[in-house]
Amino acid sequence: MTEELKSKHNKNILLVENIYTYFKTESGVVKALDGVSFDIRENESVGIVGESGCGKTVTSRSILRILPKNGETVAGQIFYKGVDLLKLPEHLMRVVRGKEIALLFQDPLSALNPVLSIREQMVDVIKLHRKVNESEAAELAINMMRQVGIPEPEQRIDDYPHQYSGGMRQRILIARALALQPDLLIADEPTTALDVTIQAQVLKIIKDMREKLGLSLMLITHNLGVVSENTDRIHIFYGGRVVESGPTREIFKDPHHPYTIALLESIPAFDRKEKQLKTIPGSVPQLINPPPGCRFHPRCEFATEICKTRPTLEKFSEDRFVACFHVEEVLKSRKSKS
Amino acid sequence: MDSSQENMPQINHDQDLDFFPGTPTGKDKDVVLELRNLRKYFPIKSQSIFLSKVVGQIKAVDGVDLQLLKGEILGLVGESGCGKSTLSKTIVGLEKPTTGEVWYRDINFNKTKDRKSIKTFQRNVQMVFQDPYNSLNPRRLVIDTLKEPLQIHGLAKGNRDEEVYSILKKVGLEDYHAFRYPHEFSGGQRQRIGLARALILKSEVIIADEPVSALDVSVQASILNLMLDLRDEFNISLIFIAHDLSVVKHISDRVAVMYLGKIVEIGPTDKVFDKPAHPYTVSLLSAIPFPDPDIKKKEIILEGDVPSPINLPKGCRFVTRCYKAQERCKEEEPILTEMSENQWAACFFPEMEPVIFFDVKEEQK
């Protein structure tokens, strides 16, 4: 390990270095992740943002090594607390999953077993990872359920998933994930299936629990509002790569990458008066046969010949990284417009 | 009709009700669609094998009065289970209303027996569905899907193909797309086909049920632009149903907020979003996350879930979650009242305060 990496590990809980995850399909190899690098610092809330098919979910699966059978992380390193997860033997990986890194799914119904009571599902998981007996585990589960705001947890723990509403199910999953005291919580679109008022409740719980337990959070979402309000830093994904990363506030105020700019302009903002929304010409790249070089160049107004070679994610200013050859021009044109 | 209506509250709606909550008053208004006290109840049957008995009712839509004006986009918002989709299905006739009437101009769709009137209604009131994947027949070429409405209504005999090409062009697709199957299109393109199918009859009213919620933001933007362009070009009226408030704010001229089968607030978009009256609208606005770090808002997080529409609370239906609830709200049901010009809300203790603040400095004083 290089000195530079070591110093990075001091403040990083997770450091993803240049990972490539490919899927073999009948029509060819899908390059779902094509050299993704990013980091999550201790006690930090980091957003992973991008449109469907950009590799957000594959990233979380690659970190936990729970890819489908046809998928494989073929290169790169994933350091969790300085340990390369890709080299870890499976029996140790099973300790990492849940106990160290917990995963929260998008669809709370399919993440729970419909034929087991909540008690069975919570107690089993807690007993597997922590040295407690049945009644202690149940007590822990009830305590956790109370903390995430489930009324009368002593009675409700014996209910089945279908007896809970969507928001309550997501609370159960949060309680189950946090009962193991993980240090990193990966939340994969945790509120996409929920209504806005329920979404607000769930996000509040995640925030409160994060403060209480000193947890790091990796929040995967396509909802720019959710990341804006709930994260410290964001990494923007496009076509299986990170195109821009930096502090949330700065990126929203002053995006550098042409894709980020286009993405932010395409959302209907509350204070925007003009009726025409900006759109991005073309469509998201096919990852079986992606465009060469910068994945965004066929849709980018700044693209030139050089964009057919691959831009690297480079430091632009303090804490801000952009993968674009034309950052200076992009910023200049933005300035002249405003 | 069945006997279940007997114990229902009856509002005496005259043939020509001279005002509707939320509709701008004025003699020269051109009303294309009118909903009069529309209700849709679904019976709950006891689970006996031999004798099924109705033991209760799900009040999905519970008394909606609404007018839609020519060329207007009316946004309809609410959480899941509030009756948005049932309302849209009831309007187009996919569900039969329990009571109440849907009027298109001078046609009472639910009463008329005249086949010609029914056809006119159906031709002029069309629907665009939420899921562009499931609402197109996967085994049919686009041209056949688009030609079918013309065949049913016996329109454009002889040059139906040309009609299809011209409508495809209007929604931003090319001629050759007509000879493809739905699976060959992306989600955004499929939604364009859905729009083309609704527009090909030159309908006056389009009911769009969450037309953009299955799409990515950049695709969503192009569909929203398209809908606004088409409205300007054809002067159609739209009921735009969505749960995403920023989309509704962007596209609509008026907004109606639904909660448990009833409209709780309705008014011009700017007014409702600037100074919402109903506490439910306030909490909805407070709950949406904004993609702008400089926006500040009142933090009101509602407790609990939407109650089941089977056992509605007595009095105001929002009373179980309302942060302003008083004794009166538990006893008496508020009706839509005018709070400011054309802005109507059903609440005894309306807010009328801004929730969202764009300029943080101003707010901090």
Side-chain angles (χ1 to χ4, degrees):
Chain A
M1 207 189 297
T2 62
E3 281 307 307
E4 196 198 347
L5 271 182
K6 261 187 193 156
S7 72
K8 268 190 188 171
H9 288 158
N10 292 337
K11 47 179 184 168
N12 287 331
I13 185 160
L14 186 80
L15 178 66
V16 174
E17 287 267 318
N18 225 3
I19 57 166
Y20 290 79
T21 298
Y22 290 174
F23 288 89
K24 289 194 192 88
T25 65
E26 274 175 26
S27 36
V29 176
V30 179
K31 295 168 180 165
L33 295 185
D34 196 29
V36 164
S37 306
F38 65 91
D39 62 331
I40 294 171
R41 295 167 196 160
E42 261 172 43
N43 294 333
E44 192 186 34
S45 167
V46 167
I48 304 284
V49 186
E51 295 180 275
S52 37
C54 70
K56 300 180 302 249
T57 298
V58 177
T59 307
S60 66
R61 305 278 154 126
S62 300
I63 293 169
L64 287 168
R65 284 171 43 192
I66 47 170
L67 291 164
K69 276 212 173 80
N70 62 338
E72 198 190 350
T73 304
V74 291
Q77 291 159 308
I78 298 168
F79 294 104
Y80 172 75
K81 293 182 176 170
V83 180
D84 189 348
L85 294 183
L86 294 177
K87 293 212 178 72
L88 214 60
E90 182 58 31
H91 71 277
L92 288 176
M93 198 61 214
R94 300 187 79 163
V95 180
V96 171
R97 291 185 203 121
K99 186 97 182 21
E100 292 288 337
I101 307 176
L103 180 61
L104 211 56
F105 294 93
Q106 170 172 354
D107 181 1
L109 185 55
S110 50
L112 288 165
N113 187 333
V115 297
L116 295 181
S117 70
I118 298 300
R119 179 191 291 273
E120 287 170 274
Q121 305 195 43
M122 301 248 319
V123 165
D124 276 358
V125 174
I126 294 170
K127 267 168 60 189
L128 189 71
H129 286 279
R130 295 178 68 168
K131 288 195 185 87
V132 287
N133 65 29
E134 183 92 24
S135 63
E136 284 166 337
E139 205 168 293
L140 255 168
I142 289 169
N143 187 19
M144 221 50 220
M145 283 167 73
R146 188 173 293 121
Q147 287 193 47
V148 296
I150 292 169
E152 293 163 10
E154 293 87 354
Q155 279 95 57
R156 297 230 58 187
I157 194 168
D158 289 313
D159 284 352
Y160 287 82
H162 73 268
Q163 289 166 293
Y164 286 84
S165 66
M168 283 295 165
R169 282 180 206 137
Q170 198 57 285
R171 283 172 204 240
I172 295 281
L173 289 176
I174 295 172
R176 188 172 71 175
L178 299 185
L180 303 176
Q181 299 174 329
D183 288 327
L184 174 64
L185 177 67
I186 301 180
D188 189 353
E189 305 263 10
T191 57
T192 308
L194 307 174
D195 276 319
V196 273
T197 58
I198 310 297
Q199 165 171 289
Q201 293 172 357
V202 168
L203 289 172
K204 177 99 181 6
I205 289 163
I206 294 181
K207 198 176 185 178
D208 290 348
M209 296 308 277
R210 220 167 65 72
E211 276 164 18
K212 211 187 261 175
L213 306 174
L215 195 71
S216 307
L217 174 71
M218 172 171 151
L219 181 67
I220 300 177
T221 178
H222 67 276
N223 187 326
L224 292 158
V226 170
V227 269
S228 163
E229 292 191 355
N230 293 285
T231 60
D232 307 319
R233 275 193 313 138
I234 45 179
H235 304 292
I236 312 263
F237 275 55
Y238 184 80
R241 291 176 186 166
V242 180
V243 293
E244 179 164 7
S245 65
T248 309
R249 196 187 159 80
E250 285 180 32
I251 290 194
F252 275 93
K253 285 275 111 187
D254 182 20
H256 288 2
H257 195 281
Y259 174 65
T260 320
I261 295 171
L263 190 67
L264 289 175
E265 280 176 350
S266 68
I267 31 174
F270 254 65
D271 50 348
R272 193 173 287 156
K273 285 281 176 276
E274 69 262 35
K275 277 293 179 194
Q276 273 295 325
L277 291 170
K278 278 272 180 62
T279 57
I280 312 177
S283 54
V284 198
Q286 295 281 319
L287 294 176
I288 289 188
N289 197 1
C294 173
R295 295 273 188 260
F296 190 58
H297 86 259
R299 308 173 74 186
C300 179
E301 53 177 316
F302 297 96
T304 56
E305 223 17 63
I306 192 179
C307 298
K308 289 187 181 153
T309 57
R310 180 174 180 166
T312 50
L313 192 63
E314 275 176 42
K315 190 166 182 169
F316 183 77
S317 55
E318 184 56 36
D319 232 6
R320 296 213 47 182
F321 296 83
V322 190
C324 179
F325 291 111
H326 301 297
V327 193
E328 305 284 347
E329 288 158 55
V330 173
L331 290 181
K332 218 179 273 169
S333 100
R334 258 180 76 79
K335 241 183 210 152
S336 65
K337 267 183 208 162
S338 61
Chain B
M1 295 248 168
D2 54 18
S3 60
S4 61
Q5 308 178 8
E6 276 170 14
N7 49 4
M8 247 172 244
Q10 295 287 326
I11 298 174
N12 189 17
H13 282 251
D14 291 334
Q15 192 71 1
D16 41 12
L17 206 65
D18 62 343
F19 78 92
F20 268 74
T23 319
T25 40
K27 283 271 175 280
D28 53 347
K29 63 181 180 187
D30 188 7
V31 179
V32 285
L33 190 77
E34 206 168 278
L35 311 182
R36 292 185 188 168
N37 195 22
L38 202 63
R39 285 165 205 267
K40 177 68 196 175
Y41 293 180
F42 294 100
I44 308 162
K45 293 187 175 140
S46 61
Q47 290 172 337
S48 156
I49 311 166
F50 303 110
L51 253 175
S52 81
K53 210 172 80 189
V54 176
V55 291
Q57 275 166 332
I58 297 172
K59 298 178 176 173
V61 176
D62 199 13
V64 169
D65 293 303
L66 194 69
Q67 276 184 335
L68 185 67
L69 304 182
K70 179 83 182 163
E72 171 184 59
I73 300 184
L74 178 87
L76 190 62
V77 289
E79 294 179 278
S80 41
C82 75
K84 299 179 303 233
S85 291
T86 308
L87 180 64
S88 66
K89 284 182 190 158
T90 314
I91 295 172
V92 296
L94 288 174
E95 295 283 0
K96 200 166 169 273
T98 312
T99 59
E101 292 156 6
V102 180
W103 287 70
Y104 163 72
R105 296 205 173 268
D106 55 356
I107 297 168
N108 180 348
F109 182 54
N110 307 111
K111 285 269 164 65
T112 186
K113 295 275 188 300
D114 177 23
R115 278 194 63 78
K116 223 177 127 199
S117 299
I118 292 173
K119 278 260 157 134
T120 313
F121 179 93
Q122 288 168 337
R123 196 176 70 230
N124 280 293
V125 182
Q126 283 288 316
M127 185 150 174
V128 176
F129 295 91
Q130 169 173 6
D131 187 346
Y133 296 87
N134 291 334
S135 58
L136 295 170
N137 187 335
R139 299 178 61 166
R140 265 193 182 174
L141 288 171
V142 167
I143 189 164
D144 296 330
T145 299
L146 292 183
K147 256 200 293 198
E148 194 179 13
L150 295 175
Q151 284 158 359
I152 290 171
H153 291 280
L155 297 171
K157 278 181 189 136
N159 61 341
R160 284 181 184 146
D161 289 5
E162 285 74 46
E163 282 288 309
V164 170
Y165 300 141
S166 101
I167 204 78
L168 279 176
K169 199 167 197 160
K170 291 267 160 54
V171 298
L173 296 171
E174 302 292 334
D175 287 1
Y176 60 83
H177 284 128
F179 299 96
R180 291 193 178 173
Y181 289 97
H183 76 265
E184 296 173 82
F185 294 93
S186 67
Q189 285 175 321
R190 269 176 245 187
Q191 201 54 286
R192 283 168 196 268
I193 298 169
L195 269 171
R197 178 171 58 184
L199 288 167
I200 199 160
L201 293 170
K202 312 237 166 8
S203 311
E204 265 200 299
V205 180
I206 305 252
I207 318 286
D209 187 3
E210 304 258 12
V212 294
S213 42
L215 307 173
D216 270 322
V217 275
S218 64
V219 184
Q220 167 183 303
S222 68
I223 298 291
L224 292 178
N225 284 343
L226 176 68
M227 291 180 104
L228 284 167
D229 291 346
L230 293 171
R231 191 267 302 256
D232 293 344
E233 190 177 341
F234 297 107
N235 200 20
I236 45 175
S237 310
L238 257 163
I239 293 186
F240 187 97
I241 300 173
H243 65 271
D244 186 335
L245 288 155
S246 35
V247 168
V248 169
K249 155 111 193 200
H250 178 80
I251 198 165
S252 41
D253 308 312
R254 281 200 298 144
V255 193
V257 182
M258 262 184 105
Y259 190 75
L260 283 175
K262 262 210 159 103
I263 291 177
V264 295
E265 178 157 6
I266 182 166
T269 306
D270 290 341
K271 283 196 172 174
V272 173
F273 281 85
D274 289 347
K275 285 187 180 169
H278 199 283
Y280 179 61
T281 319
V282 172
S283 29
L284 269 184
L285 282 172
S286 161
I288 16 168
F290 280 98
D292 182 343
D294 274 353
I295 287 180
K296 286 277 170 300
K297 41 184 197 182
K298 271 192 202 164
E299 195 168 315
I300 295 159
I301 293 186
L302 287 185
E303 306 251 317
D305 291 308
V306 183
S308 106
I310 303 167
N311 298 315
L312 286 175
K314 196 181 156 203
C316 174
R317 3 198 110 204
F318 188 53
V319 71
T320 51
R321 300 174 82 200
C322 185
Y323 58 96
K324 285 191 106 178
Q326 311 272 325
E327 274 310 308
R328 185 180 177 194
C329 310
K330 290 180 192 151
E331 299 300 324
E332 204 179 321
E333 184 164 5
I335 51 161
L336 281 171
T337 329
E338 191 158 26
M339 298 290 172
S340 74
E341 200 191 348
N342 295 329
Q343 182 187 4
W344 294 63
C347 182
F348 296 122
F349 308 100
E351 285 277 9
M352 304 302 285
E353 290 284 329
V355 183
I356 300 153
F357 305 94
F358 297 109
D359 196 345
V360 181
K361 283 167 222 134
E362 206 176 298
E363 194 253 333
Q364 278 169 345
K365 68 189 170 193

